[in-house]
Amino acid sequence: MQTDKDLLNLMKEAYPLNPREEFVSSTSVKLKQLARKRDRKRKFIQLTMVSTSVAICALATLLFIFQTKQDSLHFNTTQEKNIAASTTTENPLVYIYQTHNLESFYSQSITTDSKEAYQDTQNITLVGERLSQALINNGIPSMHDKTNIMGILKEKNLYFHKAYDISREPLEKALANNSTIQMVFDIHRDSAERDMTTINLAGTDYSKVAFTVSTSSKNYEENYKFATLLHNKVEEKYPNLSRGVIVKNKPIGQITYNQDLFANAVLLEIGGIENTLEEEYRTADILANIIKELVVQ
């Protein structure tokens, strides 16, 4: 039996492979054209792959930059909202802050639940701002810290009672950097009902004010004397506008309200949850006049 090799040799002998010159030339041209076409196609594919890779890298870079900017914007917004916000005049004599800065009023809220009367904007911070501005208008330089204490508590996942630890930090910094400070006020509003926190003077409603001190403070005696002095001054000019000096004794876990940091420090409870901002502002203006009489310039 003939093998494949024998058959191939037989075919070569029967049909000698001597192609014509024109055939060789024509075939060569076609093969070169085909080769160039395939080369162009290969280069196009390579270029397409490179371009696609560059585009993907560029897109990824842009997305990274965009995300970084977004994160930076979010961080800066958070910082601005929760950490560093204050109004300061040169050589301040009075420092004002709000440990429970989101305490609001029924008139500014959509709730009548005292546990939910907290607002981001229309809150006790506005009362602190009014007191600060009234002092400045009376020629008393002041520092009003507007740090969002409640916002920081939420971010750090801390319990409510830790608020004084957070408000303590900017207070310590302010005292260290401003030796001129003579008085420190932490502004709050009470949760008591309106009949306890409101008084009508000459036909106009005002928020009553209470002066609160803690026996846990190492400066308790000085804090108490200062609170009593404020109470007496208010009573002299506006009888019954003050609810008096409230002394918080030492239950387990009692805090100092940061009054251990300064002798002339007191927690001011201006009005209550059923008062309006207008009533709060009126009392803040009165307090500014009282404080003006006590500061040493």
Side-chain angles (χ1 to χ4, degrees):
M1 180 181 289
Q2 292 179 321
T3 64
D4 291 340
K5 185 176 181 180
D6 293 335
L7 292 173
L8 182 59
N9 290 332
L10 182 61
M11 290 175 64
K12 288 180 179 181
E13 292 175 358
Y15 302 97
L17 301 176
N18 295 313
R20 290 176 300 164
E21 185 176 346
E22 294 83 354
F23 174 78
V24 173
S25 177
S26 175
T27 301
S28 176
V29 170
K30 290 181 179 181
L31 289 174
K32 288 180 180 180
Q33 290 176 342
L34 181 61
R36 285 196 295 268
K37 184 177 181 180
R38 288 182 176 178
D39 186 57
R40 285 196 300 270
K41 185 176 181 181
R42 179 179 57 81
K43 289 181 177 180
F44 175 76
I45 293 173
Q46 289 178 340
L47 180 61
T48 301
M49 293 179 65
V50 171
S51 299
T52 302
S53 299
V54 171
I56 291 174
C57 291
L59 180 60
T61 302
L62 288 174
L63 288 173
F64 175 77
I65 293 174
F66 176 77
Q67 185 62 42
T68 300
K69 287 185 176 180
Q70 288 293 98
D71 292 342
S72 176
L73 177 62
H74 173 72
F75 176 77
N76 290 335
T77 301
T78 301
Q79 288 290 92
E80 180 180 359
K81 182 178 179 181
N82 291 341
I83 300 177
S86 65
T87 300
T88 309
T89 51
E90 188 175 357
N91 300 320
L93 301 177
V94 178
Y95 180 87
I96 300 167
Y97 69 116
Q98 304 80 206
T99 296
H100 298 157
N101 64 291
L102 298 187
E103 286 181 337
S104 188
F105 311 89
Y106 288 155
S107 60
Q108 307 299 139
S109 307
I110 60 173
T111 180
T112 56
D113 184 347
S114 62
K115 295 180 180 179
E116 297 180 6
Y118 292 86
Q119 249 220 28
D120 289 334
T121 55
Q122 303 295 304
N123 53 49
I124 198 66
T125 303
L126 294 177
V127 183
E129 178 66 21
R130 178 65 172 240
L131 177 59
S132 176
Q133 192 57 54
L135 286 169
I136 293 171
N137 293 341
N138 278 297
I140 308 300
S142 71
M143 174 183 290
H144 179 215
D145 183 79
K146 302 177 226 178
T147 302
N148 186 355
I149 306 300
M150 296 297 104
I152 296 175
L153 280 181
K154 183 177 180 180
E155 284 189 351
K156 294 187 175 182
N157 197 29
L158 298 175
Y159 289 109
F160 186 80
H161 71 272
K162 289 291 184 179
Y164 288 95
D165 293 337
I166 303 299
S167 65
R168 188 181 185 88
E169 295 178 16
L171 172 57
E172 286 179 318
K173 183 178 179 181
L175 292 173
N177 295 332
N178 299 277
S179 60
T180 55
I181 293 176
Q182 298 180 21
M183 303 177 185
V184 173
F185 298 109
D186 187 4
I187 312 298
H188 294 250
R189 65 104 175 102
D190 204 340
S191 58
E193 295 180 354
R194 182 175 177 83
D195 59 352
M196 184 181 293
T197 64
T198 312
I199 186 172
N200 187 282
L201 299 175
T204 301
D205 286 338
Y206 291 78
S207 297
K208 285 190 173 185
V209 58
F211 305 93
T212 302
V213 294
S214 169
T215 58
S216 296
S217 167
K218 66 180 181 181
N219 295 319
Y220 166 66
E221 295 295 337
E222 291 83 358
N223 299 147
Y224 180 78
K225 289 178 182 179
F226 178 54
T228 302
L229 177 62
L230 288 166
H231 162 72
N232 291 336
K233 284 290 184 180
V234 170
E235 283 297 285
E236 286 176 12
K237 293 188 175 183
Y238 306 93
N240 299 318
L241 179 66
S242 173
R243 293 171 55 196
V245 177
I246 298 176
V247 177
K248 296 290 186 178
N249 293 317
K250 282 186 175 179
I252 297 176
Q254 172 61 43
I255 55 179
T256 69
Y257 305 127
N258 296 327
Q259 292 168 6
D260 59 304
L261 295 178
F262 201 72
N264 288 346
V266 64
L267 187 155
L268 298 181
E269 292 194 75
I270 302 178
I273 201 166
E274 295 185 5
N275 286 107
T276 66
L277 276 174
E278 290 74 17
E279 293 163 351
E280 296 280 302
Y281 291 160
R282 291 173 192 142
T283 301
D285 292 342
I286 287 177
L287 288 172
N289 291 326
I290 298 297
I291 293 168
K292 180 182 178 180
E293 296 180 9
L294 299 179
V295 296
V296 178
Q297 290 184 286

